[in-house]
Amino acid sequence: MLLIKNGRVLDPATKTDSARDLLLDGERIAEIAATGKIAHANGAQVFDATGLIVAPGFIDMHAHLREPGQENSETIETGSHAAARGGFTAICCMPNTKPVNDNASITRFIVDRAKAFGHVRVWPIGAASVASKGEAIADIAAMRDAGIIAVSDDGKPIATAKLARQIMDYCRSLDLPVIEHAEDVSLAAGAVMREGIASTRLGLPGMPAAAESVCVARDVQVAELTGARLHIAHLSAKSSLAQVRFAKQHGIRVTCEVTPHHFTLIDEDVTYDSRFKMNPPLAAREDREALIEGLADSTVDAIATDHAPHEPAIKDVEFDKAPFGILGFETAIGLALEQLVHTNRIPLMRMVELFTTGPARVLGKERKLALGEPADLTIFSLDRSWTYSVSDSASKSRNSPFDGHTFQGGPAATIVAGKIVYKH
Ligand SMILES: [Zn+2]
C-alpha cells in the first residue's frame, strides 16, 4: 500500500480541487479522504506530497518509440523511461517503426516488450494502411484484438480521400479513432519549415499553413460522410483549428491535439539548427496565438508531445538533410506550466484536463481519481526551479531545442499501477 499525503488533489473528472490524501492498494485506488483522515493505512509506504499537485495519470497520445527497427534512436525501455521522468503514466506509440506496425504480430511484439521493459503503460497505434503506403487498408481488426487503441499513417497523411473513407468506414464499425497526420503532400513537397518571412530570410524552402488545413478540411468532410471518430494530430495552423471548430459545432466527431513546441515556439525562432526542424513545422505568431485560444476554449482536446527521437548521427546534420522531429516527454509539463498556466492563459485545472480526461476521451477511455480506479497518478510541482539538460535525458536521443532551459514547476513523481516509477 502507498499513502499519498498532504497533496492538493486536482481531478477534472470529479471536479476536485482540494487537500486530500489517497491510499493506493496494489494497482487500485483504495481510499480518498480529507488530509489526515485515512484510517487504515498502517504499514503503508508514505509519499509526502506537501506543496505538490496530485493529478490522475497523464497520458501522451502521440509518441515515437522507434522499436522495432531504430533502436539506436530509442527503445520501448528508454522511451517509456523518459516518459516516466516527464510525468506520463501512459503513452501511445505511432506505428512508423521498421517494420511498420501494420499487423497483429508487430502489435503483439510491442505489447510484450512494453510489459517486460516498459516503465509506463504503452498503448500501440496501428497503421491505417499496409506499411502506411496509402494503398491497401491494414488488418485493423486483428491489430485491435492484439491491443491497438487507434489507427494512423503518422509521418504522412492517409494518401487519398477514397482510402480515408474506407478506413473511416471500417474504424467506425470497430469504434476506433482514426488519427490523421494532416498534410497535403503536394503543397508540402520539398519544404523544411513554414513558409513566410522567416523562411525567406533563412533561404529555406517553406510550406504554407494550407499544407495542413487543406488535408484537415478533406478529412472533416470524410468524417461527416462516414460518421467516424477523426482525430487531428499535432495541429499547428489557425486555419486547421477553424475547421475543427466548425466540425465540432456541427456535431461531426472530430478532435485534435496540440504539441508543447507549437504552443511555445514560432517560425521566427528557427535557426539553421536542426533541433528546430519538425513536421508540422513551427508556425506563425498568429497560429501560436490561435492554438492557445483553442487550448483555453476546448476546441483542442489534448496536449500531446509527438516525442520523436533521432540519434545524433542522423539528426545532427545540415538543416535541410535532417529528419523531422524533436524529443517531447521530459519538457511537456514544464512548457505547459510556463506558457499556459503561469501566464494565466488557461486555468491549472484545464491544463490537467488536456493531459488526462481530454486524451482519455479521444481514446474512448476514462481517467479519474475514484475508488477502484487504476492507481495511476502524476504528481507535479508548480514552482520548483529546474533546468532541463538533455545530456541527462533517459531518451537515447538528444534532439531537443529546450536543452539548458530553466522551468518553474515540473514532474515530481509518476505512479503507475500503484508503483512509483519516477521520483524527483
Ligand atoms: Zn505526424
Side-chain angles (χ1 to χ4, degrees):
M1 290 200 293
L2 179 61
L3 178 64
I4 317 285
K5 273 174 54 171
N6 305 323
R8 174 181 164 195
V9 170
L10 258 179
D11 178 19
T14 57
K15 304 224 164 23
T16 304
D17 180 358
S18 58
R20 287 271 187 279
D21 290 350
L22 273 96
L23 183 66
L24 312 180
D25 188 0
E27 298 188 3
R28 301 274 157 186
I29 297 171
E31 199 174 342
I32 302 174
T35 306
K37 296 289 184 210
I38 289 184
H40 307 290
N42 290 342
Q45 184 190 348
V46 175
F47 181 99
D48 186 356
T50 301
L52 299 172
I53 306 293
V54 178
F58 282 18
I59 299 166
D60 185 356
M61 61 175 299
H62 191 144
H64 300 270
L65 298 180
R66 306 300 187 210
E67 186 179 0
Q70 294 157 296
E71 290 85 353
N72 287 336
S73 289
E74 199 76 289
T75 63
I76 290 166
E77 198 278 323
T78 59
S80 66
H81 189 193
R85 288 170 54 97
F88 292 102
T89 60
I91 54 179
C92 299
C93 56
M94 283 295 176
N96 59 341
T97 45
K98 289 181 180 167
V100 170
N101 179 19
D102 66 356
N103 66 78
S105 69
I106 307 282
T107 304
R108 275 193 296 271
F109 170 83
I110 293 168
V111 168
D112 290 347
R113 297 288 287 185
K115 257 189 206 127
F117 301 107
H119 292 250
V120 304
R121 298 181 199 271
V122 175
W123 296 332
I125 295 167
S129 66
V130 174
S132 285
K133 282 194 168 147
E135 289 156 10
I137 186 165
D139 195 352
I140 296 170
M143 287 192 287
R144 199 263 321 257
D145 293 343
I148 64 163
I149 44 93
V151 302
S152 180
D153 276 347
D154 187 50
K156 45 190 164 179
I158 295 170
T160 64
K162 181 181 175 187
L163 184 65
R165 180 189 190 179
Q166 287 171 355
I167 289 163
M168 284 195 219
D169 260 334
Y170 195 69
C171 286
R172 182 180 180 273
S173 67
L174 295 174
D175 199 27
L176 277 179
V178 176
I179 302 178
E180 179 67 294
H181 165 117
E183 178 180 332
D184 182 294
V185 294
S186 66
L187 281 172
V192 297
M193 67 177 290
R194 174 62 85 77
E195 180 181 299
I197 292 168
S199 69
T200 305
R201 200 172 283 147
L202 292 168
L204 292 170
M207 68 178 88
E212 179 182 275
S213 54
V214 161
C215 187
V216 173
R218 178 197 84 175
D219 288 315
V220 163
Q221 290 173 59
V222 178
E224 183 175 28
L225 174 68
T226 57
R229 289 158 61 193
L230 168 67
H231 177 78
I232 307 297
H234 44 52
L235 185 146
S236 71
K238 184 181 178 180
S239 47
S240 304
L241 199 68
Q243 308 281 343
V244 171
R245 195 173 275 128
F246 170 88
K248 288 188 170 192
Q249 282 163 357
H250 290 79
I252 305 167
R253 300 208 287 170
V254 177
T255 54
C256 71
E257 71 194 28
V258 165
T259 72
H261 48 274
H262 286 113
F263 66 62
T264 301
L265 299 170
I266 59 174
D267 59 350
E268 293 168 32
D269 296 311
V270 175
T271 65
Y272 290 111
D273 183 335
S274 68
R275 291 177 301 174
F276 292 91
K277 182 175 176 182
M278 64 288 280
N279 194 12
L282 296 173
R285 187 178 299 276
E286 62 169 15
D287 293 297
R288 175 180 173 270
E289 185 58 31
L291 296 182
I292 294 174
E293 280 166 25
L295 287 158
D297 73 10
S298 297
T299 308
V300 177
D301 298 272
I303 295 172
T305 69
D306 194 8
H307 177 84
H310 295 291
E311 60 173 313
I314 60 167
K315 184 67 170 175
D316 293 353
V317 298
E318 294 91 330
F319 196 94
D320 55 335
K321 295 200 181 76
F324 294 105
I326 62 167
L327 303 183
F329 291 140
E330 291 166 298
T331 48
I333 293 179
L335 289 170
L337 289 170
E338 174 188 282
Q339 298 293 324
L340 307 176
V341 177
H342 295 332
T343 52
N344 293 317
R345 297 299 303 268
I346 70 171
L348 181 60
M349 182 69 95
R350 174 72 185 140
M351 183 199 104
V352 172
E353 187 178 19
L354 285 159
F355 280 112
T356 58
T357 46
R361 213 174 293 127
V362 174
L363 298 168
K365 291 177 178 285
E366 261 206 313
R367 211 57 167 173
K368 66 175 173 183
L369 299 180
L371 301 191
E373 290 294 318
D376 288 13
L377 302 175
T378 294
I379 303 176
F380 63 98
S381 156
L382 288 180
D383 49 22
R384 174 172 68 88
S385 181
W386 64 284
T387 301
Y388 176 60
S389 170
V390 78
S391 60
D392 297 335
S393 173
S395 170
K396 277 196 168 183
S397 293
R398 297 289 176 259
N399 49 318
S400 170
F402 303 111
D403 187 28
H405 189 76
T406 296
F407 293 97
Q408 307 304 319
T414 309
I415 297 171
V416 178
K419 290 201 187 74
I420 300 173
V421 296
Y422 167 71
K423 187 171 188 293
H424 166 66

